[in-house]
Amino acid sequence: MGFLSSMLIIIVILFETFFSHSVAITNTTKNAPFDQNYYVTWGKDRILFFKHRQEVQLSLDQSSGAGFGSKSYFGSGFFQMRIKLPDKDSAGVVTAFYLNSNVGVHDELDFEFLGNRPGKPIVLQTNVFAHGIGGREQRTVLWFDPTADFHYYKLLWNQHQIVFFVDDIPIRVYKNHQLSGLVGYPHRAMQVVVSLWDGSNWATDGGKTKANWTQAPFQAHFQDFNIAGCPSNPNSPNKGCYSTKYWWNKENYWQLNQRQMRDYETVRRRYMNYDYCSDKNRYPIPPIECHDP
Ligand SMILES: *[C@@H]1O[C@H](CO)[C@@H](O)[C@H](O)[C@H]1NC(C)=O
Ligand SMILES: *[C@@H]1O[C@H](CO)[C@@H](O)[C@H](O)[C@H]1NC(C)=O
């Protein structure tokens, strides 16, 4: 067998490993139409549906953006959304996919995509609020053009860890230190929320680079409205949702596997450009969770 054909086989094997793994982890078998799990929360005249309501477009212009949210609240789960971000000049434009408790002492888990001028990288900011305390921003530059194609963004939330994924690459891990009582961990039922809005006052270069409204409307696209989550009452803690009868609470989701750990380290080293843990001005003493590997 020649060198080239062996290389080809190796590449095929690598791809198959990657994709078979991604199928197992997303575990979405049905193509839920939008209305099965979600409803429009605001800006309904700026929302269009495609592909038998399996794709949604949100638009932002100078007067408004738009958003949608899940019909249910969840107390644990493995949440995902396929997103294609606004293209061309998207400075100041924020596309958000997050979980939010809305009521009571606030818990929230955020993916926020901060748009940028053409040719400059779109930055993905993540944050964790637990028991009303946030300020845990991290920023990652994406290693692909998120405006060119749909990519998966996923949030695993179980009794051991919260993991933020870009496709199948973990970019952030937030561990549950609840037993020690020293670090907050989300404990309230949360809604899945998606929105597109004007963040000109903060999102790009700290607010110095604003949306260019001659480029509006800005448009983001969303697919995959399946939800793997434990439905729970919005007014109460997530009782029963950490049961191992849910697949995302089972032992193989309690920590990253070796492949994920390698990917996670690589991403942090190469693509993370801000971490609250190392922001000495804000936190002269890094918060306790920052000592996690
Ligand atoms: C996928 O979800 C089903 C329940 O809907 C569960 O039984 C199965 O174990 C899950 N598969 C994986 C790989 O997690
Ligand atoms: C805004 O967009 C218009 C139209 O493309 C362009 O002429 C102008 O230079 C842009 N402004 C900024 C500040 O980039």
Side-chain angles (χ1 to χ4, degrees):
M1 201 162 42
F3 175 72
L4 277 180
S5 49
S6 344
M7 282 309 284
L8 206 63
I9 287 170
I10 289 171
I11 289 168
V12 167
I13 289 170
L14 283 176
F15 263 81
E16 298 213 315
T17 317
F18 188 78
F19 284 112
S20 59
H21 192 87
S22 80
V23 169
I25 208 166
T26 60
N27 199 17
T28 49
T29 45
K30 301 179 302 269
N31 294 321
F34 177 83
D35 314 82
Q36 186 174 315
N37 293 319
Y38 289 95
Y39 70 104
V40 171
T41 46
W42 60 291
K44 76 173 181 343
D45 49 351
R46 287 173 179 77
I47 300 188
L48 288 179
F49 293 92
F50 305 112
K51 302 194 172 147
H52 309 283
R53 296 177 85 81
Q54 289 182 14
E55 182 174 323
V56 170
Q57 172 191 286
L58 301 186
S59 292
L60 166 71
D61 58 37
Q62 201 156 6
S63 60
S64 178
F68 58 91
S70 60
K71 294 177 174 173
S72 301
Y73 280 62
F74 302 92
S76 70
F78 202 159
F79 307 91
Q80 87 284 321
M81 189 61 61
R82 263 164 68 78
I83 306 177
K84 193 163 94 153
L85 295 171
D87 60 3
K88 307 195 195 87
D89 185 348
S90 63
V93 176
V94 178
T95 309
F97 163 50
Y98 58 109
L99 301 183
N100 190 354
S101 69
N102 295 313
V103 290
V105 182
H106 180 220
D107 289 333
E108 185 177 315
L109 303 170
D110 295 315
F111 278 108
E112 290 176 316
F113 300 89
L114 315 180
N116 217 334
R117 292 278 184 246
K120 295 198 166 176
I122 288 176
V123 173
L124 169 54
Q125 173 165 292
T126 61
N127 202 355
V128 173
F129 287 77
H131 298 260
I133 297 173
R136 297 189 174 98
E137 293 87 353
Q138 291 184 351
R139 290 188 209 118
T140 304
V141 174
L142 295 170
W143 50 92
F144 52 84
D145 177 1
T147 73
D149 279 304
F150 285 94
H151 286 266
Y152 263 111
Y153 303 94
K154 305 181 201 169
L155 266 171
L156 169 66
W157 170 27
N158 63 31
Q159 67 276 46
H160 294 273
Q161 60 175 356
I162 287 160
V163 185
F164 294 73
F165 293 90
V166 171
D167 292 315
D168 283 319
I169 310 290
I171 62 156
R172 178 166 193 174
V173 178
Y174 185 85
K175 290 188 197 280
N176 189 355
H177 288 274
Q178 201 85 63
L179 286 180
S180 72
L182 294 172
V183 184
Y185 198 74
H187 71 301
R188 302 194 74 90
M190 294 194 268
Q191 183 187 24
V192 186
V193 187
V194 170
S195 61
L196 181 67
W197 44 283
D198 176 19
S200 286
N201 59 349
W202 68 277
T204 311
D205 304 326
K208 289 201 281 288
T209 304
K210 308 207 182 279
N212 183 347
W213 295 111
T214 64
Q215 307 271 350
F218 305 100
Q219 290 166 336
H221 294 83
F222 305 87
Q223 294 177 344
D224 194 344
F225 303 114
N226 299 286
I227 298 182
C230 165
S232 188
N233 184 331
N235 296 306
S236 66
N238 57 341
K239 274 209 168 56
C241 281
Y242 289 156
S243 157
T244 49
K245 76 177 184 204
Y246 298 109
W247 58 263
W248 54 86
N249 291 337
K250 291 189 196 297
E251 197 167 347
N252 47 332
Y253 293 94
W254 291 1
Q255 55 190 37
L256 301 187
N257 64 34
Q258 279 187 352
R259 183 193 64 98
Q260 291 172 327
M261 191 60 94
R262 272 200 311 275
D263 289 346
Y264 176 56
E265 282 162 7
T266 305
V267 164
R268 287 175 63 91
R269 199 171 55 242
R270 292 206 196 140
Y271 300 103
M272 194 164 78
N273 67 4
Y274 176 81
D275 184 3
Y276 73 109
C277 287
S278 41
D279 188 337
K280 291 279 188 291
N281 291 325
R282 284 174 79 194
Y283 300 101
I285 300 168
I288 293 167
E289 71 272 14
C290 292
H291 299 300
D292 284 339

